[in-house]
Amino acid sequence: MFPDMMPSRVPPTPENLLGLSWNDSAWIPILNPSNVMDYFSERSNPFYDRTCNNEIVKMQRLSLDQLNNMTGLEFVLLHVQEPILYVIRKQQRYSSTHVTPVADYYIIAGTIYQAPDLASVLNSRIMSAVHHLQSAFEEASSYSRYHPSKGYSWELKLSDKPTKKENSKEEPSSLFQRQRVDMLLVELTKKCPIPIAPPPAPVKTTSENLEIKSEPREVKTEKVDSPCMKPPPEKKPRLN
């Protein structure tokens, strides 16, 4: 066969792990920053790559600080928000100061997810918008009617019966949620203690405050001329 007629070999595409999640219920109650990398490196975890430098360090029982002196693929703990969130980064190391991020993984309540990249987020949003627009056009076209004498018209069917919403029962909280919430409340209480209000001071009542000083008031009365009083006698002139 000629070289041009040889079938081209397409490299296998990596499996999309954005729709997967993984957890181990035995680790969840004891998960902390010191053992979260051991939890991530479990054999059943599909996000962990066994060809990374972390596996070499683990087999030789070295410290994770030795990863800075190696080259290749590695996993590092990027962010910790105890006790609910841990972020682990997968990166390619070329030197002690040059690394290239490959993927990020976040652990929420003991469940591991892969953080989507920007292209996946934009693709998902665009596909969702196109799906809703297509559904709207199909529903609108189902209401269109045509009559030879009247032309096109719209027949909208509105249901008079209100839709009944089913009462969804709330799921009970798990043991992990109760323990973590209690731990957060205790930490918040230690950082921001509730101020204790002092008891109210007793009110002093003295006899002077209770006594009402009564001042004498002068009552002014007007004198009214009585009708029985006679006017003074008139003076008569003397006769010589």
Side-chain angles (χ1 to χ4, degrees):
M1 297 179 66
F2 294 99
D4 296 340
M5 301 298 293
M6 292 290 292
S8 60
R9 294 183 178 179
V10 180
T13 57
E15 183 183 359
N16 188 6
L17 301 178
L18 295 178
L20 296 180
S21 63
W22 179 85
N23 61 19
D24 189 349
S25 58
W27 280 82
I28 292 177
I30 59 173
L31 199 61
N32 56 62
S34 61
N35 61 8
V36 67
M37 294 302 297
D38 297 333
Y39 175 63
F40 188 83
S41 61
E42 283 288 325
R43 293 186 176 275
S44 57
N45 181 14
F47 305 106
Y48 185 68
D49 191 349
R50 305 212 169 273
T51 62
C52 64
N53 294 335
N54 299 67
E55 195 70 15
I56 299 174
V57 170
K58 185 178 180 181
M59 292 175 60
Q60 296 180 1
R61 297 182 180 180
L62 301 175
S63 175
L64 291 177
D65 297 335
Q66 298 295 327
L67 293 174
N68 298 330
N69 303 326
M70 304 172 66
T71 58
L73 194 65
E74 64 183 20
F75 291 90
V76 295
L77 182 60
L78 185 64
H79 177 73
V80 175
Q81 187 177 347
E82 197 176 3
I84 197 70
L85 175 63
Y86 304 93
V87 179
I88 296 176
R89 170 165 291 179
K90 179 181 181 181
Q91 59 188 12
Q92 184 75 26
R93 179 173 293 278
Y94 302 98
S95 65
S96 59
T97 57
H98 183 203
V99 294
T100 302
V102 177
D104 288 339
Y105 307 92
Y106 54 94
I107 305 174
I108 298 181
T111 305
I112 304 177
Y113 307 89
Q114 180 176 348
D117 54 338
L118 183 59
S120 300
V121 173
L122 293 178
N123 188 24
S124 175
R125 296 295 185 268
I126 293 173
M127 292 296 293
S128 178
V130 170
H131 170 71
H132 290 300
L133 287 174
Q134 185 177 0
S135 301
F137 282 125
E138 291 177 356
E139 185 176 358
S141 63
S142 65
Y143 296 143
S144 64
R145 299 290 183 271
Y146 176 75
H147 193 272
S149 60
K150 296 180 181 179
Y152 287 96
S153 62
W154 297 92
E155 183 180 350
L156 301 178
K157 297 179 181 179
L158 301 177
S159 59
D160 298 333
K161 297 180 180 180
T163 57
K164 296 181 180 180
K165 296 182 178 179
E166 298 181 357
N167 297 327
S168 59
K169 297 182 179 180
E170 296 183 357
E171 296 181 359
S173 60
S174 61
L175 178 61
F176 172 80
Q177 292 174 342
R178 292 193 295 269
Q179 290 177 350
R180 296 302 184 182
V181 169
D182 294 341
M183 186 184 301
L184 289 173
L185 292 176
V186 171
E187 291 181 357
L188 289 175
T189 306
K190 291 180 180 179
K191 293 180 180 179
C192 304
I194 301 175
I196 301 174
V203 181
K204 296 181 179 180
T205 57
T206 57
S207 58
E208 296 179 357
N209 297 332
L210 298 176
E211 291 181 357
I212 302 175
K213 296 181 180 180
S214 60
E215 297 181 355
R217 297 181 179 179
E218 296 180 358
V219 181
K220 297 181 179 180
T221 57
E222 296 182 356
K223 295 181 180 181
V224 183
D225 297 338
S226 61
C228 299
M229 295 181 66
K230 297 181 179 181
E234 297 180 356
K235 293 183 179 181
K236 296 181 180 181
R238 294 181 181 181
L239 297 177
N240 295 331

